[in-house]
Amino acid sequence: MTRGHDILDVANLELDFEPLIPGLPNAVALNCLARLPRAMYSTLNGVSRSWRRALSSEQLFRTRHELGCTEPWIYCLFCSHEGPSKHVTSLIEAYDPVHNLWLPVGRMPGLANSEMLKGYGSVGLNGKLYIVGGRICSKGSSSEVEKDLRISKDVYAYDCITGAWKQCTSMLIPRVDFACSVCDGNIIIAGGRDTINQEKGVATAEMYIPEKDGWISLEKMSAGRYKCVGLTVSNKIYVIGGFTSSDDDGQTSPRALAWNRCSVEIYDPAKGKWEFVKGMWQIDIPPYQVVNLEGQLYSCGDLMNSWKGSIDIYDGFSNMWKTVRGSRRRLREDLACKEGLILLRRYVTMAAIGRQLYFLAGYCQSTSYGSSICLDTVDIFDISGDESIEKWKSLKPIPRPCREICSPCCVVDA
C-alpha cells in the first residue's frame, strides 16, 4: 500500500511550486483552500497540479484543524453484489451531512474478491479512519450461504484528506465483535471472540498508540465478553453488555453470567484498572449501538430489536434507560402498489454529530407483508430542549444500489 500523493508542507508550497493563487503567498492560499468544503475537492483537483497536491496534503488537514474548519463525515462499510458474476464487494462510503451526499471511498483493502468484513471495530482519530480486526467471510453470489473464513487481527488506517491507506501493526490477538473506542489519542479495545465457531468471549484488552504504531496489553476485564459496545465518557472507556463467559474454566454460574450481561466495565487509563458496574444495561441481550452525545449515552435498541422506533437515554442517577421525549416514531415509506404501509426500520446505524443523532442505512420491513426494502432516507433527531425545533427531520440523498451494512458506522473529523 503506497501513499497516493506526496506530502506537501507550507515550506514546499512557497519554494518549489507555482503559486496556488496568483498574488497570494502559498501559505495564505492554503488557508483559503482549507476553508472550502471537502465535498468540492474532487472538482477542485482539476484546477492545477499544485491544487491537486495541496488538497491531498497532510498540511491541509493541520490547517483545517487549526482554523476550526474540519468536517465530520460518517463512514460506513457496505457489502454489495456487483459485476456480471455478482461477487460480493466490500465498499466504504462516506456521508457528508452538510451537503446530504454519499461519496465513494473505495474498496476495503486486505480482502479478496467475494470476501466481506463484519464485526470489526472502527474509530476516527486525527483525520483518519481506523478499521480494526473483524470476521472475514465469503459469499460468491447473492444466493450463496455466507461462510466464515477467519478472524482478523489486521489494522488499516485511511487518511481522509490524502486518500491513502496504511496497514498498521496488527493487534496482539485476532478479534471480532469487540468493544473499540478512542481515549487520550489512543485506541482501546476489549473483549470479543478470537476463534471461529466458538461462542466464548475473551476478557483481554489492549491499546494502540498511533505515534509508535504499536499495541500494548492492558489489564483484563472481570469476564470474557463479545457483542459488547465500547465508547468513551469523561476520559474513561465503557464496555457495555455483551454475551459473557467465564475466564476461569467455566466456573461462573448462569445467574452470574446473566448479571454480567446486564453490566458495564469501565476502564480508567489513569489508574490502569477496570471497574465493574452492575445493572447498567438492564437486559441480558447486548446493545446494538450506543453513542455519547454531549456527555449523555443514547441507545437505539438491542441485538434483537436493532431499531425500537424510539431513542433511549441513560439516566445515571436512577441507573435506568428512559425513552427520550418525542423520539418515538415509525417510518412511513412509499412502496410500489403498497402505499401507506407502516414500516419498521431495522439494522440501522447511528452517529452523533453536534446536537443531533443521525440514523442511516438499514432496511425497512413491512409489518403487513413481511417484505423488506433498502432505505436511502437519512433521519435526524435533535436532542436540544428547544420546543420550537421539530425533533425529527428526514433527508433524501441520491438513491444508491441496495447494500448491506456490515457494522456500525464511524464519524471522522477531517
Side-chain angles (χ1 to χ4, degrees), residues 144-413:
E144 286 188 15
V145 176
E146 191 175 294
K147 179 183 178 182
D148 288 342
L149 299 178
R150 62 190 181 278
I151 294 178
S152 172
K153 61 178 181 179
D154 294 340
V155 181
Y156 291 92
Y158 173 75
D159 191 313
C160 299
I161 292 293
T162 68
W165 282 98
K166 173 188 174 183
Q167 184 166 9
C168 306
T169 300
S170 297
M171 290 186 289
L172 301 178
I173 65 170
R175 296 177 193 259
V176 63
D177 297 329
F178 53 93
C180 180
S181 191
V182 170
C183 188
D184 290 332
N186 300 315
I187 302 173
I188 296 179
I189 61 175
R193 293 186 296 114
D194 61 356
T195 307
I196 289 286
N197 300 325
Q198 182 174 332
E199 301 298 317
K200 181 179 179 180
V202 298
T204 56
E206 50 188 293
M207 179 169 70
Y208 178 72
I209 305 172
E211 290 79 8
K212 298 181 179 179
D213 188 25
W215 293 85
I216 60 172
S217 294
L218 303 178
E219 182 184 68
K220 286 184 177 182
M221 297 185 293
S222 64
R225 299 173 181 265
Y226 68 98
K227 295 284 188 183
C228 46
V229 170
L231 68 159
T232 302
V233 183
S234 300
N235 289 322
K236 295 180 180 179
I237 301 295
Y238 281 58
V239 178
I240 303 177
F243 295 119
T244 57
S245 57
S246 168
D247 203 40
D248 56 4
D249 297 325
Q251 299 303 309
T252 304
S253 68
R255 183 176 180 181
L257 289 178
W259 271 110
N260 286 347
R261 292 178 183 179
C262 302
S263 67
V264 171
E265 303 220 27
I266 304 174
Y267 182 75
D268 186 344
K271 298 178 180 178
K273 298 291 183 182
W274 289 95
E275 176 189 359
F276 181 83
V277 181
K278 291 183 178 180
M280 184 175 170
W281 177 239
Q282 299 175 346
I283 61 174
D284 65 354
I285 301 170
Y288 181 67
Q289 196 174 354
V290 181
V291 298
N292 177 9
L293 183 54
E294 296 190 340
Q296 298 285 340
L297 305 187
Y298 293 87
S299 165
C300 62
D302 53 62
L303 288 183
M304 292 188 67
N305 299 285
S306 56
W307 171 249
K308 297 172 59 179
S310 63
I311 303 166
D312 290 344
I313 185 172
Y314 177 68
D315 182 344
F317 182 77
S318 60
N319 194 30
M320 292 181 63
W321 290 85
K322 299 179 179 180
T323 300
V324 177
R325 183 179 177 183
S327 71
R328 193 171 297 281
R329 186 192 197 201
R330 284 185 172 181
L331 268 66
R332 184 180 293 272
E333 289 285 331
D334 290 334
L335 287 174
C337 305
K338 297 179 182 178
E339 293 185 0
L341 290 180
I342 298 297
L343 299 171
L344 299 178
R345 190 164 191 165
R346 303 299 305 275
Y347 306 108
V348 66
T349 185
M350 175 173 60
I353 298 177
R355 306 204 71 189
Q356 296 177 319
L357 293 171
Y358 286 75
F359 297 86
L360 310 94
Y363 294 85
C364 266
Q365 186 171 13
S366 167
T367 58
S368 303
Y369 293 85
S371 59
S372 63
I373 58 168
C374 290
L375 197 64
D376 290 312
T377 308
V378 175
D379 290 280
I380 306 168
F381 183 80
D382 192 299
I383 68 163
S384 67
D386 189 344
E387 297 295 333
S388 65
I389 298 177
E390 187 176 354
K391 289 298 182 183
W392 283 103
K393 67 177 180 180
S394 298
L395 301 177
K396 276 279 193 181
I398 297 173
R400 302 167 303 131
C402 185
R403 294 176 177 179
E404 174 191 357
I405 191 163
C406 297
S407 212
C409 65
C410 172
V411 178
V412 185
D413 253 333

Side-chain angles (χ1 to χ4, degrees), residues 29-46:
L30 188 69
N31 283 358
C32 296
L33 294 181
R35 288 176 164 85
L36 298 174
R38 272 204 289 153
M40 298 176 62
Y41 284 10
S42 60
T43 301
L44 297 175
N45 279 332

Side-chain angles (χ1 to χ4, degrees), residues 114-127:
S114 304
E115 289 186 347
M116 303 175 287
L117 182 67
K118 296 187 175 184
Y120 56 87
S122 63
V123 294
L125 178 60
N126 296 329

Side-chain angles (χ1 to χ4, degrees), residues 90-108:
S90 291
L91 300 170
I92 298 175
E93 296 184 8
Y95 176 73
D96 175 359
V98 173
H99 299 94
N100 188 34
L101 291 172
W102 282 101
L103 299 127
V105 172
R107 292 186 59 172
M108 176 66 200

